[in-house]
Amino acid sequence: MSSRIVFDLDGTLIDSAPDLHAIANALLAEEGATPISLDHAREFIGNGASVFVQKMRAAGSIPDSEHARVLAAFTERYSDAVTLTQLYPGVRDALDRLHREGHGLGICTNKPIRPCRAVLRHFGLDHYFTVVVGGDSLPVYKPDPAPLNAAFEALPEGPEVYVGDSEVDAETAHHAKVPFLLFSEGYRKCPVERLAHSAAFRAFAELPGLVERICSE
C-alpha cells in the first residue's frame, strides 16, 4: 500500500550541524564573543533559525537588542550553507526505494525554505519530494501541527507517517495524531524511551520495512 511519508530534515536526513557551527562561530568572532562547540550547535537546532540565533547570542553574551541584526547576518550566510553538511548513511538508498515503491514523499522542517531547498538541490534529493514545507512557509512552525498537516495534504491519499529525530518532531506527530518513526542518531536531547514513537531505527536500511509495517497495522 502506498503511503504519505513526510520527513524532518536537519538531524533526520542530513547532519547540518557543522555548517551551522561554522556560521555561528564566524558571527561570534565578528562580535568579539566566545565561540560555541559543535555539540552546542547540535543542541541549538530544532526550533528554527531565530531560536538558534537566540541561543547562540546567549552563549556569546550578545544582548537581545542585537537579535534582529545578528539574525539577518545569520540568515544571509545560512541560505546557501551546504559545504560541510552530510547525508546520513543510507538516506539516498532508502528514499530511492520508497520513491520506486510509489510512496508520496514530503519534507516538513523548521529550517527556512531557502537553505532547505539549497541543500536538497546540493545532494540531488529534490526530485524525491512532492512538497517541501519550511520553517517560514507558514505563520507557525513545529511543534504546531499545521506545517505537517499542510505537507500531508499536498501528497496523494494514503496512510500518513512522519519521520524525525527530535523532541520537536515527536511532539508535532503527537499533535497531528500520526505515527512517528524516530531516527535515533540525530539531534534528540533525551533518551529514546522518553519520546513517544511508533518505532525507532538507527539505520536507514530499516526504514522501508518499518513504513510497510506501520501502514499495514
Side-chain angles (χ1 to χ4, degrees), residues 12-71:
T12 300
L13 299 179
I14 61 172
D15 181 9
S16 58
D19 267 312
L20 291 167
H21 178 237
I23 295 169
N25 279 346
L27 290 173
L28 289 168
E30 291 173 6
E31 300 294 323
T34 304
I36 61 172
S37 68
L38 182 57
D39 284 342
H40 281 138
R42 286 196 174 94
E43 290 173 10
F44 297 169
I45 294 171
N47 288 286
S50 184
V51 173
F52 184 98
V53 169
Q54 178 185 354
K55 293 178 178 180
M56 180 196 82
R57 283 192 305 97
S61 300
I62 301 171
D64 291 349
S65 60
E66 299 300 311
H67 182 77
R69 178 180 62 81
V70 177
L71 177 59

Side-chain angles (χ1 to χ4, degrees), residues 119-135:
V119 78
L120 291 174
R121 286 194 303 269
H122 175 72
F123 287 111
L125 301 181
D126 44 339
H127 69 284
Y128 288 117
F129 301 107
T130 301
V131 58
V132 178
V133 178

Side-chain angles (χ1 to χ4, degrees), residues 114-201:
R114 283 186 62 191
C116 177
R117 292 193 180 281
V119 78
L120 291 174
R121 286 194 303 269
H122 175 72
F123 287 111
L125 301 181
D126 44 339
H127 69 284
Y128 288 117
F129 301 107
T130 301
V131 58
V132 178
V133 178
D136 51 0
S137 296
L138 298 177
V140 296
Y141 50 86
K142 302 184 299 181
D144 191 296
L148 180 57
N149 288 333
F152 282 129
E153 288 167 6
L155 295 172
E157 287 297 318
E160 299 172 346
V161 180
Y162 187 44
V163 183
D165 70 294
S166 70
E167 291 82 355
V168 171
D169 296 326
E171 187 177 353
T172 305
H174 173 74
H175 290 323
K177 298 180 174 58
V178 298
F180 178 54
L181 297 182
L182 173 63
F183 176 54
S184 62
E185 307 307 294
Y187 300 156
R188 65 184 168 81
K189 302 170 182 63
C190 70
V192 167
E193 57 269 19
R194 289 181 54 189
L195 292 181
H197 58 280
S198 302
F201 65 100

Side-chain angles (χ1 to χ4, degrees), residues 197-215:
H197 58 280
S198 302
F201 65 100
R202 295 187 62 185
F204 269 86
E206 304 170 55
L207 181 60
L210 289 176
V211 168
E212 182 176 357
R213 193 191 85 192
I214 292 296
C215 291

